[in-house]
Amino acid sequence: MEAEKKPPAVSDVGAWAMNVVSSVGIIMANKQLMSSSGYAFAFATTLTGFHFTVTALVGWISNATGYSVSKHVPLWELVWFSLVANTSITGMNLSLMLNSVGFYQISKLSMIPVVCLMEWVLNSKHYTTKVISAVVVVAAGVGICTVTDVEVNAKGFLCACVAVVCTSLQQITIGSFQKKYNIGSFELLSKTAPIQAISLIILGPFVDYYLNGRSLLNYNFSGGATFFILLSCSLAVFCNMSQYLCIGRFSATSFQVLGHMKTVCVLILGWILFDSALTVKNILGMLLAVMGMVVYSWAVESEKKAATPIPRNKSDMLDGEDVPLKARVSGLPSVDLEEGEMKS
């Protein structure tokens, strides 16, 4: 007799909510930490290394206490994944430095079609017209409310391309690893986080020095800055965990499309907390993006229902070939041939 399958500790809605809340929270915390009006901690790559260090520590404690079970994943695949993920982080930081904010936002939006293309090439995944239309609406809405000035140069364009390809590949690989090795989202994160933490802690200060010409050794770690670093690291644990959870349960495409709800939340909170400008153009773009997300969710659910086989009625099954002979004779006791017991 098979053991009953345990229900997931976090529901689908809970996983999405965790990702949106933690992602928006970490953006707000980092804005206070890194802005010139805050604590001017201009070391984004090193901060990401801190994030994965705390995440790896939480994963180690979870494994040590028996809350999660460590499963085998080949070391070379973990190293390859970490290389792709770290290249994604470095590429994004370089893209933001070398390009205008407008082009940086466009490069982030381009991840949606790139992920779709990669899933089609690597996983033979096909999309319906409804899904493609919803993706276009979401991208258009987010583009309207975020893209302003667009300036690009050769180096910036190259960095943006590398960042988009590596980020898309990283997100697809998360889902592939979970299916390939039958490993949970948190267990996989516990495997990849230590490698990313070590590499980013070592290389991060050099990358940040190249980006802004400032050394981490000369930074004054005040009490307020230390508090926001710890807050950012704590939120990063939930952000990373929910990312692996959402991609594992759904797909990299869904994570990209529905993940733009975070962009909408950031714009609204920026207007409330930091007096950022919110124009009619921003509002119309956000409404269009939200409408696209609703249509996308509906299209994906319709796709799932269409793919689900309709069970046959009991009256139809009585004449089917899959029904055992003893079940076709109604009203008579059946005999279990292995144990020789009479069953009524």
Side-chain angles (χ1 to χ4, degrees):
M1 185 175 182
E2 295 182 358
E4 293 185 0
K5 188 177 181 180
K6 291 183 179 180
V10 181
S11 65
D12 293 347
V13 175
W16 282 115
M18 185 195 301
N19 185 256
V20 171
V21 172
S22 60
S23 298
V24 173
I26 202 172
I27 290 171
M28 295 293 110
N30 288 351
K31 188 167 185 177
Q32 180 64 26
L33 175 65
M34 304 180 76
S35 65
S36 56
S37 59
Y39 295 97
F41 186 84
F43 309 98
T45 311
T46 306
L47 180 62
T48 307
F50 293 162
H51 290 170
F52 281 108
T53 300
V54 175
T55 302
L57 179 61
V58 171
W60 178 81
I61 293 173
S62 177
N63 289 332
T65 55
Y67 181 78
S68 58
V69 180
S70 179
K71 291 187 178 181
H72 175 71
V73 178
L75 179 61
W76 73 269
E77 293 214 75
L78 295 175
V79 172
W80 174 83
F81 173 84
S82 300
L83 179 63
V84 171
N86 290 349
T87 304
S88 161
I89 295 166
T90 306
M92 279 296 179
N93 290 338
L94 288 171
S95 174
L96 183 58
M97 182 190 77
L98 297 172
N99 300 314
S100 65
V101 175
F103 185 78
Y104 175 75
Q105 290 293 344
I106 289 177
S107 66
K108 290 181 68 177
L109 286 174
S110 68
M111 288 182 198
I112 300 179
V114 171
V115 166
C116 291
L117 179 63
M118 282 189 170
E119 287 200 315
W120 174 65
V121 173
L122 299 176
N123 301 328
S124 301
K125 186 170 183 178
H126 297 277
Y127 300 92
T128 63
T129 305
K130 295 176 183 177
V131 170
I132 295 173
S133 302
V135 167
V136 171
V137 171
V138 171
V142 176
I144 288 172
C145 64
T146 59
V147 177
T148 52
D149 59 313
V150 178
E151 295 178 9
V152 63
N153 55 73
K155 288 183 179 179
F157 180 77
L158 179 62
C159 290
C161 290
V162 171
V164 168
V165 171
C166 288
T167 303
S168 304
L169 184 59
Q170 176 217 6
Q171 293 180 357
I172 292 174
T173 305
I174 290 173
S176 299
F177 275 8
Q178 291 188 46
K179 294 174 182 176
K180 182 178 179 180
Y181 297 107
N182 192 26
I183 187 172
S185 54
F186 187 69
E187 286 76 15
L188 179 59
L189 179 60
S190 301
K191 291 281 188 182
T192 59
I195 301 174
Q196 287 188 258
I198 293 171
S199 54
L200 287 173
I201 289 294
I202 294 173
L203 299 176
F206 297 100
V207 174
D208 291 328
Y209 183 78
Y210 173 77
L211 290 173
N212 53 53
R214 297 171 60 183
S215 173
L216 181 67
L217 298 176
N218 297 329
Y219 182 76
N220 180 27
F221 286 88
S222 63
T226 303
F227 169 77
F228 275 98
I229 289 173
L230 293 175
L231 176 61
S232 180
C233 290
S234 301
L235 290 169
V237 175
F238 294 98
C239 185
N240 290 328
M241 190 189 309
S242 57
Q243 178 188 3
Y244 279 54
L245 198 61
C246 290
I247 294 176
R249 290 191 186 179
F250 305 98
S251 68
T253 304
S254 295
F255 183 77
Q256 278 293 329
V257 173
L258 300 180
H260 279 295
M261 178 57 71
K262 295 176 283 190
T263 306
V264 175
C265 293
V266 167
L267 288 172
I268 295 173
L269 286 176
W271 173 63
I272 295 172
L273 300 177
F274 299 101
D275 295 326
S276 300
L278 194 64
T279 64
V280 175
K281 175 173 168 282
N282 296 140
I283 296 172
L284 291 176
M286 287 189 286
L287 291 174
L288 184 62
V290 171
M291 183 180 71
M293 293 174 202
V294 172
V295 173
Y296 177 83
S297 302
W298 167 77
V300 170
E301 285 301 315
S302 300
E303 206 174 48
K304 287 181 181 177
K305 288 180 181 178
T308 304
I310 302 174
R312 294 179 295 178
N313 295 328
K314 288 184 177 180
S315 57
D316 297 333
M317 290 180 67
L318 288 177
D319 297 327
E321 296 177 0
D322 297 334
V323 184
L325 180 61
K326 62 180 181 181
R328 298 182 189 178
V329 184
S330 59
L332 294 177
S334 61
V335 179
D336 191 317
L337 298 178
E338 294 183 1
E339 301 189 13
E341 295 179 357
M342 191 74 82
K343 298 179 182 179
S344 58

